[in-house]
Amino acid sequence: MSFDPMAAAVAWFDAYRAGDIETILAMYAEDAVVHCSCEGIKIITSTDSLRAYWDDRLRKRPASHLDNLQLSEDGTVISYVTREGVVSALLTFDASGQIASLTCGPSN
């Protein structure tokens, strides 16, 4: 069975919409990096920081619905709607199918 990065991005988004922090965190590789420019620029590199980031994000910026989903050269680009507007996120995956990086920010 081959890895489907689009299905993985949808599973990530579904967990985000459900507010399921444990499922979200389990999707990230141990050495994952998050680059977020939604509220200034944040770079998250540790497990504890990732948990704090998602705890804050789920409270302040819950996702409501999918805007767009497409493959990119580097991974999967997913756009979704929050109270503040549309956010675009690039998810890249490691060889085991876990999220290696997330780069997100307001959609242009």
Side-chain angles (χ1 to χ4, degrees), residues 20-102:
D20 186 348
I21 194 169
E22 297 307 322
T23 296
I24 292 168
L25 294 174
M27 299 175 106
Y28 284 86
E30 270 189 45
D31 59 350
V33 177
V34 173
H35 300 267
C36 180
S37 62
C38 293
E39 296 176 26
I41 295 177
K42 294 179 188 175
I43 300 173
I44 294 98
T45 58
S46 72
T47 302
D48 289 340
S49 295
L50 188 61
R51 178 176 290 281
Y53 168 80
W54 274 107
D55 182 54
D56 184 65
R57 187 142 187 104
L58 291 172
R59 281 185 292 107
K60 291 182 180 175
R61 291 183 176 263
S64 64
H65 64 274
L66 184 65
D67 180 64
N68 195 4
L69 176 68
Q70 56 188 309
L71 286 175
S72 78
E73 256 183 55
D74 299 325
T76 303
V77 176
I78 185 168
S79 298
Y80 53 90
V81 178
T82 69
R83 290 186 290 238
E84 290 78 20
V86 178
V87 175
S88 182
L90 170 63
L91 295 166
T92 64
F93 301 93
D94 66 13
S96 67
Q98 289 191 295
I99 297 169
S101 70
L102 164 67

